[in-house]
Protein backbone atom coordinates (compact mmCIF):
# COMPACT_ATOMS: atom_id res chain seq x y z
CA UNK A 1 0.00 0.00 0.00
CA UNK A 2 1.39 3.47 -0.91
CA UNK A 3 1.85 6.55 1.31
CA UNK A 4 -1.11 8.22 -0.38
CA UNK A 5 -3.34 5.74 1.40
CA UNK A 6 -2.66 7.62 4.63
CA UNK A 7 -1.89 11.22 3.67
CA UNK A 8 -4.36 14.14 3.37
CA UNK A 9 -4.12 17.66 1.89
CA UNK A 10 -4.22 20.83 3.91
CA UNK A 11 -7.91 20.67 3.14
CA UNK A 12 -9.22 17.72 5.22
CA UNK A 13 -12.08 17.15 2.82
CA UNK A 14 -9.66 16.18 -0.02
CA UNK A 15 -8.06 12.75 0.47
CA UNK A 16 -5.39 11.07 -1.67
CA UNK A 17 -7.18 7.86 -2.50
CA UNK A 18 -4.97 4.77 -2.97
CA UNK A 19 -4.55 3.61 -6.59
CA UNK A 20 -2.81 0.31 -5.73
CA UNK A 21 -5.77 -1.80 -6.81
CA UNK A 22 -6.54 -0.09 -10.09
CA UNK A 23 -6.09 -2.09 -13.34
CA UNK A 24 -3.43 0.34 -14.52
CA UNK A 25 -1.36 -0.08 -11.35
CA UNK A 26 -1.73 -3.87 -11.35
CA UNK A 27 -0.62 -4.06 -14.99
CA UNK A 28 2.43 -1.96 -14.20
CA UNK A 29 3.29 -4.20 -11.23
CA UNK A 30 3.06 -7.30 -13.42
CA UNK A 31 5.53 -5.75 -15.88
CA UNK A 32 7.91 -4.90 -13.03
CA UNK A 33 7.65 -8.40 -11.53
CA UNK A 34 8.27 -10.00 -14.91
CA UNK A 35 11.38 -7.89 -15.38
CA UNK A 36 12.63 -8.78 -11.88
CA UNK A 37 12.02 -12.48 -12.54
CA UNK A 38 13.89 -12.27 -15.82
CA UNK A 39 16.82 -10.53 -14.13
CA UNK A 40 16.82 -13.14 -11.34
CA UNK A 41 16.84 -15.97 -13.87
CA UNK A 42 19.72 -14.46 -15.82
CA UNK A 43 21.57 -13.72 -12.60
CA UNK A 44 20.95 -17.24 -11.30
CA UNK A 45 22.24 -18.77 -14.52
CA UNK A 46 25.33 -16.59 -14.33
CA UNK A 47 25.89 -17.63 -10.73
CA UNK A 48 25.69 -21.33 -11.58
CA UNK A 49 28.06 -20.97 -14.53
CA UNK A 50 30.30 -18.93 -12.24
CA UNK A 51 30.37 -21.81 -9.77
CA UNK A 52 31.55 -24.10 -12.57
CA UNK A 53 34.28 -21.62 -13.48
CA UNK A 54 35.39 -21.28 -9.86
CA UNK A 55 35.96 -25.03 -9.73
CA UNK A 56 37.67 -25.02 -13.11
CA UNK A 57 34.76 -27.06 -14.46
CA UNK A 58 33.10 -24.55 -16.77
CA UNK A 59 31.85 -26.46 -19.83
CA UNK A 60 33.74 -25.18 -22.84
CA UNK A 61 30.60 -24.82 -24.89
CA UNK A 62 28.13 -23.08 -22.56
CA UNK A 63 27.75 -20.37 -25.14
CA UNK A 64 25.23 -18.32 -27.02
CA UNK A 65 25.71 -20.07 -30.37
CA UNK A 66 24.14 -23.27 -29.03
CA UNK A 67 20.83 -21.85 -30.15
CA UNK A 68 18.26 -22.61 -32.78
CA UNK A 69 19.06 -20.87 -36.08
CA UNK A 70 16.94 -17.83 -36.87
CA UNK A 71 15.95 -19.47 -40.15
CA UNK A 72 15.00 -23.07 -40.89
CA UNK A 73 18.08 -25.29 -41.08
CA UNK A 74 18.63 -27.48 -44.15
CA UNK A 75 21.18 -30.29 -44.22
CA UNK A 76 22.21 -31.14 -47.79
CA UNK A 77 24.56 -33.49 -49.67
CA UNK A 78 24.18 -36.37 -47.24
CA UNK A 79 23.56 -40.06 -46.73
CA UNK A 80 20.81 -40.85 -44.21
CA UNK A 81 20.42 -43.52 -41.55
CA UNK A 82 16.98 -42.71 -40.14
CA UNK A 83 17.07 -44.95 -37.03
CA UNK A 84 14.29 -47.18 -38.37
CA UNK A 85 15.34 -49.01 -41.56
CA UNK A 86 18.60 -50.97 -41.51
CA UNK A 87 19.79 -49.25 -44.67
CA UNK A 88 21.24 -45.97 -45.90
CA UNK A 89 19.13 -43.56 -47.95
CA UNK A 90 20.46 -41.11 -50.52
CA UNK A 91 18.91 -38.30 -52.51
CA UNK A 92 17.27 -36.72 -49.47
CA UNK A 93 17.76 -33.57 -47.39
CA UNK A 94 16.78 -32.78 -43.79
CA UNK A 95 14.79 -29.64 -42.96
CA UNK A 96 14.82 -28.57 -39.30
CA UNK A 97 12.46 -25.95 -37.92
CA UNK A 98 11.46 -25.06 -34.38
CA UNK A 99 13.36 -27.89 -32.73
CA UNK A 100 11.79 -30.60 -34.87
CA UNK A 101 12.32 -32.20 -38.24
CA UNK A 102 9.91 -30.37 -40.52
CA UNK A 103 10.42 -32.43 -43.67
CA UNK A 104 12.74 -34.73 -45.61
CA UNK A 105 12.62 -33.14 -49.07
CA UNK A 106 14.26 -34.69 -52.09
CA UNK A 107 17.76 -33.44 -52.89
CA UNK A 108 17.59 -29.94 -54.32
CA UNK A 109 13.97 -29.43 -53.26
CA UNK A 110 14.54 -27.75 -49.88
CA UNK A 111 13.47 -24.13 -49.30
CA UNK A 112 15.81 -21.51 -50.73
CA UNK A 113 15.66 -19.26 -47.67
CA UNK A 114 16.89 -21.93 -45.24
CA UNK A 115 20.28 -21.83 -43.55
CA UNK A 116 22.20 -24.56 -45.39
CA UNK A 117 24.84 -26.96 -44.13
CA UNK A 118 26.62 -29.02 -46.77
CA UNK A 119 27.42 -32.41 -45.18
CA UNK A 120 29.97 -33.24 -47.88
CA UNK A 121 28.48 -36.65 -48.65
CA UNK A 122 28.80 -37.79 -45.03
CA UNK A 123 26.22 -39.88 -43.18
CA UNK A 124 23.65 -38.28 -40.89
CA UNK A 125 22.29 -40.40 -38.04
CA UNK A 126 19.91 -39.67 -35.15
CA UNK A 127 21.35 -38.47 -31.87
CA UNK A 128 22.43 -41.48 -29.81
CA UNK A 129 20.53 -42.71 -26.74
CA UNK A 130 22.01 -44.48 -23.70
CA UNK A 131 19.17 -46.28 -21.94
CA UNK A 132 21.18 -47.17 -18.82
CA UNK A 133 23.11 -44.13 -17.58
CA UNK A 134 23.86 -42.60 -14.17
CA UNK A 135 24.31 -38.91 -14.87
CA UNK A 136 25.43 -37.91 -11.37
CA UNK A 137 27.52 -41.01 -10.64
CA UNK A 138 29.39 -41.53 -13.92
CA UNK A 139 32.31 -39.18 -13.36
CA UNK A 140 33.25 -39.53 -9.68
CA UNK A 141 34.67 -42.40 -7.66
CA UNK A 142 32.42 -44.37 -5.35
CA UNK A 143 34.27 -42.91 -2.36
CA UNK A 144 33.72 -39.37 -3.65
CA UNK A 145 30.05 -40.06 -4.34
CA UNK A 146 29.50 -41.25 -0.78
CA UNK A 147 31.74 -38.84 1.13
CA UNK A 148 32.28 -35.58 -0.78
CA UNK A 149 30.08 -32.52 -0.51
CA UNK A 150 27.07 -33.11 -2.77
CA UNK A 151 27.73 -29.78 -4.49
CA UNK A 152 31.02 -31.16 -5.80
CA UNK A 153 29.26 -34.29 -7.08
CA UNK A 154 26.72 -32.17 -8.96
CA UNK A 155 29.39 -29.90 -10.45
CA UNK A 156 31.26 -32.95 -11.71
CA UNK A 157 27.99 -34.26 -13.14
CA UNK A 158 27.54 -30.99 -15.02
CA UNK A 159 30.95 -31.32 -16.62
CA UNK A 160 30.25 -34.94 -17.54
CA UNK A 161 26.90 -33.95 -19.06
CA UNK A 162 28.64 -31.66 -21.53
CA UNK A 163 31.12 -34.41 -22.39
CA UNK A 164 28.24 -36.86 -22.86
CA UNK A 165 26.61 -34.59 -25.41
CA UNK A 166 29.93 -34.11 -27.22
CA UNK A 167 30.15 -37.90 -27.54
CA UNK A 168 26.93 -37.73 -29.55
CA UNK A 169 24.54 -38.94 -26.86
CA UNK A 170 21.70 -36.44 -27.04
CA UNK A 171 19.42 -38.38 -24.67
CA UNK A 172 20.01 -40.63 -21.66
CA UNK A 173 17.70 -42.60 -19.42
CA UNK A 174 19.02 -42.06 -15.92
CA UNK A 175 18.38 -45.19 -13.86
CA UNK A 176 19.49 -44.13 -10.42
CA UNK A 177 20.76 -40.95 -8.81
CA UNK A 178 19.83 -37.36 -7.96
CA UNK A 179 19.60 -36.13 -11.55
CA UNK A 180 16.57 -33.84 -11.28
CA UNK A 181 18.59 -30.66 -10.74
CA UNK A 182 20.98 -31.47 -13.57
CA UNK A 183 18.04 -32.17 -15.86
CA UNK A 184 16.54 -28.78 -15.00
CA UNK A 185 19.85 -26.98 -15.59
CA UNK A 186 20.28 -28.62 -19.00
CA UNK A 187 16.69 -27.98 -20.05
CA UNK A 188 17.05 -24.30 -19.08
CA UNK A 189 20.32 -23.90 -20.96
CA UNK A 190 22.48 -23.32 -17.86
CA UNK A 191 24.82 -26.13 -18.93
CA UNK A 192 25.02 -28.28 -22.03
CA UNK A 193 24.09 -31.91 -21.85
CA UNK A 194 21.73 -34.61 -23.07
CA UNK A 195 18.03 -34.84 -22.41
CA UNK A 196 17.53 -36.80 -19.20
CA UNK A 197 14.73 -39.25 -18.49
CA UNK A 198 15.21 -39.42 -14.69
CA UNK A 199 14.30 -42.29 -12.38
CA UNK A 200 15.44 -40.53 -9.24
CA UNK A 201 16.59 -42.72 -6.38
CA UNK A 202 16.79 -46.43 -7.15
CA UNK A 203 14.45 -48.29 -4.82
CA UNK A 204 16.05 -51.14 -2.91
CA UNK A 205 15.19 -53.51 -0.11
CA UNK A 206 17.33 -53.65 3.02
CA UNK A 207 20.52 -55.58 2.10
CA UNK A 208 19.69 -55.05 -1.57
CA UNK A 209 21.81 -53.73 -4.40
CA UNK A 210 20.91 -50.15 -3.49
CA UNK A 211 21.67 -50.43 0.23
CA UNK A 212 25.00 -48.60 0.59
CA UNK A 213 25.14 -48.57 4.38
CA UNK A 214 27.94 -50.22 6.32
CA UNK A 215 27.03 -53.17 8.53
CA UNK A 216 27.89 -51.14 11.63
CA UNK A 217 24.86 -48.93 10.85
CA UNK A 218 22.56 -51.85 11.66
CA UNK A 219 20.05 -52.33 13.07
CA UNK A 220 18.13 -49.38 11.67
CA UNK A 221 15.53 -48.13 14.15
CA UNK A 222 12.38 -46.11 13.36
CA UNK A 223 13.89 -43.00 14.94
CA UNK A 224 17.17 -43.19 12.97
CA UNK A 225 17.78 -40.53 10.31
CA UNK A 226 18.21 -41.52 6.69
CA UNK A 227 21.76 -42.29 5.62
CA UNK A 228 23.74 -40.07 3.24
CA UNK A 229 22.80 -41.95 0.05
CA UNK A 230 19.10 -41.72 0.88
CA UNK A 231 19.28 -38.07 1.93
CA UNK A 232 20.94 -37.11 -1.35
CA UNK A 233 18.49 -39.08 -3.51
CA UNK A 234 20.85 -41.80 -4.72
CA UNK A 235 18.84 -44.66 -3.29
CA UNK A 236 15.65 -45.26 -1.32
CA UNK A 237 15.34 -48.27 0.97
CA UNK A 238 11.88 -49.85 1.23
CA UNK A 239 10.72 -53.00 3.01
CA UNK A 240 7.12 -54.15 2.68
CA UNK A 241 4.30 -52.91 0.51
CA UNK A 242 3.57 -49.63 2.36
CA UNK A 243 7.21 -48.51 2.18
CA UNK A 244 7.50 -49.59 -1.45
CA UNK A 245 4.48 -47.43 -2.27
CA UNK A 246 5.82 -44.46 -0.31
CA UNK A 247 9.26 -44.48 -1.93
CA UNK A 248 7.80 -44.90 -5.41
CA UNK A 249 5.39 -42.04 -4.93
CA UNK A 250 8.19 -39.82 -3.62
CA UNK A 251 10.17 -40.27 -6.84
CA UNK A 252 7.07 -39.62 -8.94
CA UNK A 253 6.46 -36.46 -6.93
CA UNK A 254 10.01 -35.33 -7.74
CA UNK A 255 9.40 -35.82 -11.46
CA UNK A 256 10.56 -39.37 -12.25
CA UNK A 257 9.77 -40.42 -15.82
CA UNK A 258 10.07 -44.09 -14.82
CA UNK A 259 10.87 -45.98 -11.61
CA UNK A 260 13.97 -48.10 -11.01
CA UNK A 261 14.07 -50.99 -8.54
CA UNK A 262 16.91 -53.34 -7.66
CA UNK A 263 15.56 -56.89 -7.95
CA UNK A 264 18.81 -58.84 -7.60
CA UNK A 265 22.47 -58.76 -6.62
CA UNK A 266 25.47 -57.24 -8.35
CA UNK A 267 29.00 -58.17 -9.34
CA UNK A 268 30.82 -55.84 -6.97
CA UNK A 269 28.18 -55.52 -4.27
CA UNK A 270 29.56 -55.55 -0.76
CA UNK A 271 26.68 -57.49 0.74
CA UNK A 272 24.16 -58.80 -1.80
CA UNK A 273 25.33 -61.88 -3.73
CA UNK A 274 24.99 -61.89 -7.51
CA UNK A 275 22.53 -64.79 -7.36
CA UNK A 276 20.26 -63.22 -4.72
CA UNK A 277 16.64 -62.39 -5.52
CA UNK A 278 15.35 -59.14 -4.03
CA UNK A 279 11.88 -57.79 -3.28
CA UNK A 280 8.90 -60.07 -2.98
CA UNK A 281 6.47 -60.22 -5.85
CA UNK A 282 3.94 -58.30 -3.73
CA UNK A 283 6.45 -55.49 -3.12
CA UNK A 284 7.32 -55.34 -6.81
CA UNK A 285 3.67 -55.32 -7.80
CA UNK A 286 3.02 -52.40 -5.43
CA UNK A 287 5.76 -50.37 -7.13
CA UNK A 288 4.41 -51.30 -10.58
CA UNK A 289 0.85 -50.32 -9.67
CA UNK A 290 1.96 -46.98 -8.22
CA UNK A 291 3.92 -46.24 -11.41
CA UNK A 292 1.06 -47.34 -13.64
CA UNK A 293 -1.30 -45.05 -11.74
CA UNK A 294 0.90 -42.21 -13.00
CA UNK A 295 1.00 -43.56 -16.54
CA UNK A 296 4.56 -44.86 -16.46
CA UNK A 297 6.52 -48.05 -15.84
CA UNK A 298 9.17 -49.82 -13.75
CA UNK A 299 12.63 -51.02 -14.80
CA UNK A 300 14.67 -53.43 -12.70
CA UNK A 301 18.34 -54.17 -12.06
CA UNK A 302 18.52 -57.98 -12.14
CA UNK A 303 20.73 -60.69 -13.63
CA UNK A 304 19.24 -64.09 -12.86
CA UNK A 305 16.39 -66.07 -14.40
CA UNK A 306 14.56 -66.36 -11.08
CA UNK A 307 14.68 -62.60 -10.50
CA UNK A 308 13.73 -61.76 -14.08
CA UNK A 309 10.73 -64.09 -14.02
CA UNK A 310 9.52 -62.57 -10.76
CA UNK A 311 9.84 -59.10 -12.30
CA UNK A 312 7.84 -60.13 -15.36
CA UNK A 313 5.05 -61.64 -13.26
CA UNK A 314 4.88 -58.41 -11.23
CA UNK A 315 4.55 -56.27 -14.37
CA UNK A 316 8.06 -54.78 -14.67
CA UNK A 317 8.46 -53.50 -18.24
CA UNK A 318 12.24 -53.27 -18.66
CA UNK A 319 14.98 -55.64 -17.48
CA UNK A 320 18.33 -53.96 -16.85
CA UNK A 321 21.32 -56.29 -17.45
CA UNK A 322 19.81 -59.81 -17.33
CA UNK A 323 22.97 -61.49 -18.63
CA UNK A 324 22.36 -64.69 -16.66
CA UNK A 325 18.92 -65.34 -18.18
CA UNK A 326 18.27 -68.82 -19.55
CA UNK A 327 16.37 -69.53 -22.75
CA UNK A 328 13.05 -70.15 -20.98
CA UNK A 329 13.28 -66.75 -19.32
CA UNK A 330 14.11 -64.99 -22.58
CA UNK A 331 11.10 -66.62 -24.24
CA UNK A 332 9.00 -65.35 -21.31
CA UNK A 333 10.32 -61.82 -21.93
CA UNK A 334 9.38 -62.06 -25.59
CA UNK A 335 5.90 -63.42 -24.82
CA UNK A 336 5.16 -60.59 -22.36
CA UNK A 337 6.65 -57.79 -24.48
CA UNK A 338 9.20 -57.04 -21.77
CA UNK A 339 12.05 -54.78 -22.86
CA UNK A 340 15.68 -55.68 -22.27
CA UNK A 341 18.35 -53.00 -21.71
CA UNK A 342 21.60 -54.87 -22.39
CA UNK A 343 25.07 -53.55 -21.63
CA UNK A 344 28.23 -54.91 -23.34
CA UNK A 345 29.84 -56.23 -20.14
CA UNK A 346 32.72 -58.16 -21.71
CA UNK A 347 35.48 -58.19 -19.06
CA UNK A 348 37.70 -56.33 -21.53
CA UNK A 349 39.87 -53.22 -21.43
CA UNK A 350 36.89 -51.04 -20.46
CA UNK A 351 35.64 -53.27 -17.64
CA UNK A 352 35.89 -52.35 -13.97
CA UNK A 353 38.93 -53.79 -12.23
CA UNK A 354 38.34 -55.89 -9.10
CA UNK A 355 40.82 -57.28 -6.58
CA UNK A 356 38.23 -59.47 -4.86
CA UNK A 357 38.28 -63.01 -6.38
CA UNK A 358 34.54 -63.30 -5.78
CA UNK A 359 33.87 -60.16 -7.83
CA UNK A 360 36.24 -61.35 -10.54
CA UNK A 361 34.35 -64.65 -10.79
CA UNK A 362 31.04 -62.82 -11.02
CA UNK A 363 32.43 -60.54 -13.71
CA UNK A 364 33.49 -63.56 -15.79
CA UNK A 365 30.01 -65.09 -15.45
CA UNK A 366 28.36 -61.88 -16.60
CA UNK A 367 30.79 -61.48 -19.53
CA UNK A 368 29.99 -64.99 -20.75
CA UNK A 369 26.32 -64.27 -20.28
CA UNK A 370 26.57 -61.04 -22.32
CA UNK A 371 27.47 -62.92 -25.48
CA UNK A 372 24.63 -65.37 -24.87
CA UNK A 373 22.20 -62.53 -24.09
CA UNK A 374 22.71 -60.91 -27.50
CA UNK A 375 22.22 -64.27 -29.20
CA UNK A 376 19.06 -65.15 -27.25
CA UNK A 377 17.53 -61.69 -27.68
CA UNK A 378 17.98 -61.92 -31.44
CA UNK A 379 16.81 -65.52 -31.65
CA UNK A 380 13.55 -64.91 -29.75
CA UNK A 381 12.75 -61.43 -31.02
CA UNK A 382 12.94 -59.65 -27.67
CA UNK A 383 12.68 -55.86 -27.83
CA UNK A 384 16.03 -54.61 -26.59
CA UNK A 385 18.05 -51.40 -26.47
CA UNK A 386 21.62 -50.32 -25.81
CA UNK A 387 22.89 -49.01 -22.47
CA UNK A 388 26.27 -48.69 -20.76
CA UNK A 389 25.89 -48.49 -16.94
CA UNK A 390 29.17 -46.58 -16.64
CA UNK A 391 29.81 -45.80 -12.98
CA UNK A 392 32.55 -44.03 -11.03
CA UNK A 393 34.65 -42.87 -14.00
CA UNK A 394 35.25 -44.14 -17.51
CA UNK A 395 32.61 -42.05 -19.25
CA UNK A 396 34.94 -41.56 -22.20
CA UNK A 397 34.31 -45.21 -23.17
CA UNK A 398 30.62 -44.56 -23.89
CA UNK A 399 31.03 -44.47 -27.67
CA UNK A 400 33.41 -47.44 -27.65
CA UNK A 401 30.86 -49.46 -25.71
CA UNK A 402 28.33 -48.95 -28.49
CA UNK A 403 30.90 -49.85 -31.14
CA UNK A 404 31.37 -53.24 -29.44
CA UNK A 405 27.86 -54.29 -30.45
CA UNK A 406 29.11 -54.60 -34.02
CA UNK A 407 30.92 -57.77 -32.91
CA UNK A 408 27.56 -59.47 -32.54
CA UNK A 409 25.45 -57.89 -35.29
CA UNK A 410 25.68 -55.58 -38.28
CA UNK A 411 26.84 -52.01 -37.58
CA UNK A 412 23.45 -50.59 -38.63
CA UNK A 413 21.64 -53.04 -36.33
CA UNK A 414 23.87 -51.89 -33.48
CA UNK A 415 23.10 -48.23 -34.27
CA UNK A 416 19.40 -49.02 -34.38
CA UNK A 417 19.60 -50.34 -30.80
CA UNK A 418 20.94 -46.94 -29.67
CA UNK A 419 18.53 -44.88 -31.77
CA UNK A 420 15.13 -46.11 -32.97
CA UNK A 421 14.82 -49.04 -30.56
CA UNK A 422 16.02 -46.94 -27.62
CA UNK A 423 13.47 -44.27 -28.51
CA UNK A 424 10.70 -46.86 -28.34
CA UNK A 425 11.84 -47.89 -24.87
CA UNK A 426 11.81 -44.26 -23.70
CA UNK A 427 8.26 -43.91 -25.04
CA UNK A 428 7.06 -46.30 -22.31
CA UNK A 429 7.10 -43.27 -19.99
CA UNK A 430 3.92 -42.09 -21.71
CA UNK A 431 2.60 -38.89 -20.13
CA UNK A 432 5.54 -38.81 -17.71
CA UNK A 433 8.01 -38.38 -20.57
CA UNK A 434 9.72 -35.01 -20.00
CA UNK A 435 9.84 -34.13 -23.70
CA UNK A 436 7.22 -34.06 -26.44
CA UNK A 437 8.11 -35.75 -29.70
CA UNK A 438 9.69 -38.91 -31.07
CA UNK A 439 13.32 -39.62 -30.22
CA UNK A 440 15.92 -41.78 -31.90
CA UNK A 441 14.64 -41.35 -35.45
CA UNK A 442 14.97 -38.91 -38.32
CA UNK A 443 11.40 -38.54 -39.50
CA UNK A 444 8.95 -35.73 -40.04
CA UNK A 445 7.74 -34.42 -36.69
CA UNK A 446 10.50 -36.09 -34.65
CA UNK A 447 12.71 -34.02 -32.36
CA UNK A 448 15.71 -32.73 -34.29
CA UNK A 449 18.64 -34.62 -32.77
CA UNK A 450 21.20 -35.19 -35.53
CA UNK A 451 24.83 -36.24 -35.92
CA UNK A 452 26.93 -35.85 -39.04
CA UNK A 453 29.62 -38.53 -38.82
CA UNK A 454 33.05 -39.00 -40.38
CA UNK A 455 32.90 -42.70 -41.10
CA UNK A 456 30.82 -45.36 -42.81
CA UNK A 457 28.17 -46.79 -40.45
CA UNK A 458 27.48 -49.59 -42.90
CA UNK A 459 31.07 -50.84 -42.65
CA UNK A 460 31.92 -50.48 -38.93
CA UNK A 461 31.47 -48.30 -35.86
CA UNK A 462 35.13 -47.69 -35.02
CA UNK A 463 34.62 -43.97 -35.66
CA UNK A 464 32.62 -43.77 -32.42
CA UNK A 465 35.83 -44.01 -30.40
CA UNK A 466 36.95 -40.51 -31.48
CA UNK A 467 34.62 -37.57 -30.88
CA UNK A 468 36.45 -35.72 -33.65
CA UNK A 469 34.52 -37.92 -36.06
CA UNK A 470 31.30 -36.23 -34.97
CA UNK A 471 31.41 -33.25 -37.31
CA UNK A 472 28.00 -31.78 -36.46
CA UNK A 473 25.94 -32.25 -33.29
CA UNK A 474 22.38 -30.92 -33.25
CA UNK A 475 20.06 -31.38 -30.29
CA UNK A 476 16.49 -30.12 -30.40
CA UNK A 477 17.34 -28.10 -33.50
CA UNK A 478 20.21 -26.29 -31.78
CA UNK A 479 23.76 -26.61 -33.07
CA UNK A 480 26.12 -27.64 -30.28
CA UNK A 481 29.12 -28.52 -32.45
CA UNK A 482 29.90 -27.60 -36.03
CA UNK A 483 33.27 -28.51 -37.53
CA UNK A 484 31.83 -28.69 -41.06
CA UNK A 485 31.92 -24.94 -41.48
CA UNK A 486 35.15 -24.22 -39.63
CA UNK A 487 33.63 -23.99 -36.13
CA UNK A 488 34.51 -26.01 -33.01
Amino acid sequence: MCRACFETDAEPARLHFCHCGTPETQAAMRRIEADISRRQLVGGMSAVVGMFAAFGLAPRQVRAQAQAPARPLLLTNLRLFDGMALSIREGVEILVEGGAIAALPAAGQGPEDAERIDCGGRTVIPGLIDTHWHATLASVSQIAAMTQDIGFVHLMAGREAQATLMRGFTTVRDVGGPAFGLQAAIDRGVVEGPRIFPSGAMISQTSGHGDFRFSNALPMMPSDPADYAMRQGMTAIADGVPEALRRTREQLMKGASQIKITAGGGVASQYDPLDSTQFTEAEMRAVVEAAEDWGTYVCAHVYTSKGIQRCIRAGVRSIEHGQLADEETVRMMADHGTWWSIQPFLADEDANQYADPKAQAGQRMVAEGTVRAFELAQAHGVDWAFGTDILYGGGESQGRQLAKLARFMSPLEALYRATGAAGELLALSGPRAPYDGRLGVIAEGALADLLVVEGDPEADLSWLADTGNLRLIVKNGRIHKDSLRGGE
Side-chain angles (χ1 to χ4, degrees):
M1 198 173 285
C2 62
R3 288 184 62 192
C5 298
F6 300 96
E7 293 181 348
T8 65
D9 276 72
E11 300 179 31
R14 294 183 58 194
L15 298 176
H16 288 290
F17 291 102
C18 174
H19 296 281
C20 294
T22 65
E24 295 80 7
T25 303
Q26 292 298 312
M29 288 301 297
R30 283 193 295 271
R31 288 194 298 271
I32 293 169
E33 289 170 355
D35 183 64
I36 292 173
S37 297
R38 180 186 63 79
R39 292 171 184 269
Q40 288 175 335
L41 175 61
V42 172
M45 290 171 65
S46 299
V48 172
V49 174
M51 283 197 299
F52 275 89
F55 277 82
L57 303 176
R60 290 176 301 158
Q61 301 191 37
V62 176
R63 60 191 190 277
Q65 60 259 44
Q67 296 179 354
R71 294 176 290 156
L73 180 68
L74 185 68
L75 274 60
T76 66
N77 189 17
L78 58 89
R79 304 168 72 234
L80 174 64
F81 171 69
D82 63 12
M84 297 176 286
L86 301 184
S87 60
I88 299 291
R89 296 167 59 184
E90 297 190 10
V92 66
E93 297 176 343
I94 304 171
L95 180 65
V96 175
E97 192 169 1
I101 297 169
L104 298 175
Q109 300 302 308
E112 290 296 327
D113 63 342
E115 177 182 341
R116 292 170 178 262
I117 296 181
D118 186 335
C119 298
R122 298 175 181 85
T123 304
V124 182
I125 68 173
L128 301 173
I129 300 171
D130 190 330
T131 66
H132 193 112
W133 188 247
H134 296 275
T136 52
L137 303 174
S139 62
V140 293
S141 69
Q142 186 171 10
I143 292 296
M146 297 302 163
T147 61
Q148 295 292 314
D149 185 276
I150 194 63
F152 172 76
V153 174
H154 286 306
L155 287 169
M156 293 294 288
R159 183 175 71 171
E160 183 64 31
Q162 193 264 351
T164 302
L165 181 61
M166 291 301 105
R167 291 191 289 265
F169 288 86
T170 53
T171 303
V172 298
R173 184 179 61 149
D174 189 282
V175 287
F180 298 114
L182 178 61
Q183 178 200 23
I186 292 170
D187 291 348
R188 287 162 173 76
V190 178
V191 294
E192 285 191 326
R195 289 185 185 81
I196 297 178
F197 279 66
S199 299
M202 52 183 154
I203 301 174
S204 169
Q205 68 173 45
T206 292
S207 77
H209 189 62
D211 188 346
F212 298 141
R213 297 171 298 167
F214 293 110
S215 59
N216 61 7
L218 305 179
M220 183 178 182
M221 306 304 291
S223 59
D224 289 345
D227 75 314
Y228 178 82
M230 288 188 68
R231 291 198 309 273
Q232 302 303 338
M234 298 175 187
T235 186
I237 297 174
D239 296 297
V241 167
E243 277 299 302
L245 289 172
R246 183 193 304 275
R247 301 309 176 201
T248 301
R249 290 165 176 166
E250 286 173 348
Q251 303 316 306
L252 293 168
M253 182 176 178
K254 288 181 176 182
S257 52
Q258 65 282 322
I259 296 296
K260 162 77 172 296
I261 64 171
T262 60
V267 170
S269 301
Q270 188 170 5
Y271 302 113
D272 60 314
L274 181 60
D275 64 332
S276 64
T277 305
Q278 299 169 16
F279 279 129
T280 66
E281 190 170 327
E283 289 171 321
M284 287 185 189
R285 194 176 299 279
V287 175
V288 167
E289 290 176 353
E292 288 179 344
D293 283 347
W294 279 51
T296 188
Y297 71 100
V298 175
C299 60
H301 162 105
V302 62
Y303 284 98
T304 66
S305 294
K306 180 181 177 182
I308 294 169
Q309 291 188 22
R310 182 178 292 182
C311 286
I312 294 171
R313 289 194 300 270
V316 170
R317 298 293 308 279
S318 176
I319 300 301
E320 310 299 310
H321 313 315
Q323 278 89 342
L324 302 183
D326 58 23
E327 190 160 12
E328 176 189 356
T329 302
V330 175
R331 282 197 299 265
M332 186 175 177
M333 292 173 67
D335 291 343
H336 285 77
T338 304
W339 275 84
W340 198 351
S341 174
I342 310 178
Q343 299 72 44
F345 295 154
L346 297 170
D348 56 11
E349 66 279 1
D350 292 318
N352 294 326
Q353 301 300 311
Y354 302 115
D356 182 1
K358 182 180 177 182
Q360 292 173 351
Q363 188 178 53
R364 286 193 296 271
M365 287 177 58
V366 169
E368 293 168 2
T370 296
V371 177
R372 188 171 58 252
F374 288 132
E375 294 172 349
L376 290 174
Q378 297 290 78
H380 294 284
V382 177
D383 290 324
W384 70 273
F386 166 78
T388 58
D389 193 28
I390 293 171
L391 282 169
Y392 311 132
E396 74 281 353
S397 73
Q398 195 174 20
R400 294 198 305 270
Q401 301 281 8
L402 174 55
K404 293 174 187 179
L405 297 193
R407 303 178 191 176
F408 310 103
M409 62 204 71
S410 74
L412 290 185
E413 166 79 1
L415 274 184
Y416 165 69
R417 297 300 172 179
T419 54
E424 291 181 40
L425 174 53
L426 295 180
L428 294 182
S429 292
R432 300 288 76 76
Y435 313 98
D436 294 327
R438 292 179 68 189
L439 289 165
V441 300
I442 299 176
E444 186 173 338
L447 292 174
D449 292 0
L450 307 166
L451 307 177
V452 176
V453 306
E454 194 76 57
D456 183 1
E458 285 186 297
D460 62 62
L461 299 181
S462 60
W463 45 270
L464 280 165
D466 183 356
T467 58
N469 291 322
L470 303 179
R471 303 296 302 277
L472 183 75
I473 299 175
V474 177
K475 173 194 159 196
N476 202 43
R478 297 173 182 265
I479 299 172
H480 291 264
K481 176 183 179 181
D482 180 6
S483 64
L484 291 173
R485 300 181 293 182
E488 293 184 10

